[in-house]
Amino acid sequence: MRLSTLTVGGGLLAASLALLPVAQADPARQLAETLTVNGQSMPVERVRETPLEGFYEVTLESGETFYSNAEGSHFLVGDLYENAEHGLVNLTEQRRNAERSARLAAVPESERVIYRGTGESRAELVVFTDTTCPYCRQLHEEVPRLNEMGIEVHYLAFPRSGLGSPGGRQLQQVWCADNPTEAMSAAKREEALSGAADCDNPVEEQYHLGMQLGVQGTPAIVLPDGRLVPGYVPAERLAAMLGLSE
């Protein structure tokens, strides 16, 4: 009698344990593993909870972001705002900025073309650039002034017409040069570069990184807090955006 009681009890316990993972399954993880569109699995990079009960932020491997319910049956595309005490707060953009800043911090200085002044460094700008872009050349003329104000300029490669374009090859020549800063300045002056473009360089990797971070054209300036500023901006205005004054 005791044996049968233990057997029945053990069976019930086993059944309960078998059901436990389903009952306690993490909805975000389950959504990441099961999300499909038109019968095709989505290339999900991560799923995060949001302040909206029952909705999750889904980030694809391409960098695209949208919102989904736990079942993946309904999507919201756009930015999520909080109606805060002092006005609307773009929560989606805050998350993008934080991720952008973290991703760029992981790029080693050895893979950047850096312009520094001789004085104390007060701030750092990361700029996705293309040597064939007129506005990039215009911004490059501001680099000495930025350096005077203690603002470092760190260039990353973003060939706006694609990796196989003349700009893509020229950027590879810059990164392959013995002195990349001199080569970058020469290219921005529209001087022909004679160096090789077939060394082990980060141009392709940085191009894809830029696309993942929302870069759509050049120059694309990233402030230290991760904010993305598209296009040419004069040195004095950039200093003001950084909260710096003379």
Side-chain angles (χ1 to χ4, degrees):
M1 186 69 179
R2 287 181 180 177
L3 181 59
S4 66
T5 301
L6 288 172
T7 301
V8 172
L12 290 173
L13 178 61
S16 298
L17 290 174
L19 290 172
L20 189 58
V22 176
Q24 295 184 347
D26 179 5
R29 180 177 179 181
Q30 188 171 356
L31 180 62
E33 294 173 349
T34 62
L35 186 62
T36 61
V37 173
N38 292 331
Q40 301 293 320
S41 296
M42 297 291 285
V44 175
E45 181 174 312
R46 71 178 64 87
V47 176
R48 298 186 180 94
E49 292 185 355
T50 74
L52 286 179
E53 184 177 353
F55 268 81
Y56 298 84
E57 181 187 77
V58 179
T59 302
L60 303 181
E61 293 174 0
S62 63
E64 295 174 274
T65 297
F66 58 94
Y67 299 91
S68 172
N69 62 349
E71 296 75 27
S73 61
H74 292 79
F75 297 159
L76 288 174
V77 179
D79 287 1
L80 178 64
Y81 288 80
E82 176 186 0
N83 189 9
E85 180 180 354
H86 300 292
L88 295 177
V89 178
N90 189 330
L91 300 179
T92 304
E93 188 60 27
Q94 282 187 345
R95 195 273 306 159
R96 286 195 199 106
N97 292 344
E99 181 177 349
R100 196 178 287 125
S101 179
R103 294 284 300 277
L104 291 177
V107 178
E109 288 197 356
S110 60
E111 295 182 1
R112 309 177 180 203
V113 177
I114 302 175
Y115 291 81
R116 291 187 174 101
T118 57
E120 178 187 1
S121 176
R122 303 170 69 195
E124 174 188 309
L125 294 176
V126 175
V127 181
F128 285 90
T129 193
D130 181 341
T131 52
T132 66
C133 160
Y135 289 108
C136 294
R137 294 171 183 152
Q138 188 176 2
L139 178 63
H140 192 68
E141 293 176 1
E142 300 277 348
V143 168
R145 177 61 181 142
L146 290 167
N147 288 166
E148 285 177 5
M149 293 187 287
I151 301 170
E152 300 182 14
V153 177
H154 293 224
Y155 280 128
L156 299 184
F158 192 84
R160 58 199 173 118
S161 298
L163 292 166
S165 66
R169 174 177 170 76
Q170 198 169 60
L171 285 167
Q172 292 181 60
Q173 288 178 291
V174 168
W175 260 262
C176 289
D178 292 335
N179 190 325
T181 56
E182 287 185 2
M184 179 71 79
S185 293
K188 294 286 180 71
R189 293 192 298 266
E190 300 188 66
E191 297 176 11
L193 301 181
S194 59
D198 56 357
C199 71
D200 183 16
N201 64 78
V203 171
E204 180 176 0
E205 181 180 353
Q206 291 179 6
Y207 176 64
H208 291 302
L209 173 63
M211 289 193 294
Q212 292 168 4
L213 297 184
V215 175
Q216 297 181 345
T218 54
I221 305 166
V222 184
L223 304 182
D225 62 4
R227 283 179 291 164
L228 178 62
V229 182
Y232 164 76
V233 180
E236 302 296 335
R237 184 177 166 201
L238 282 172
M241 295 172 73
L242 292 167
L244 301 178
S245 59
E246 291 297 332

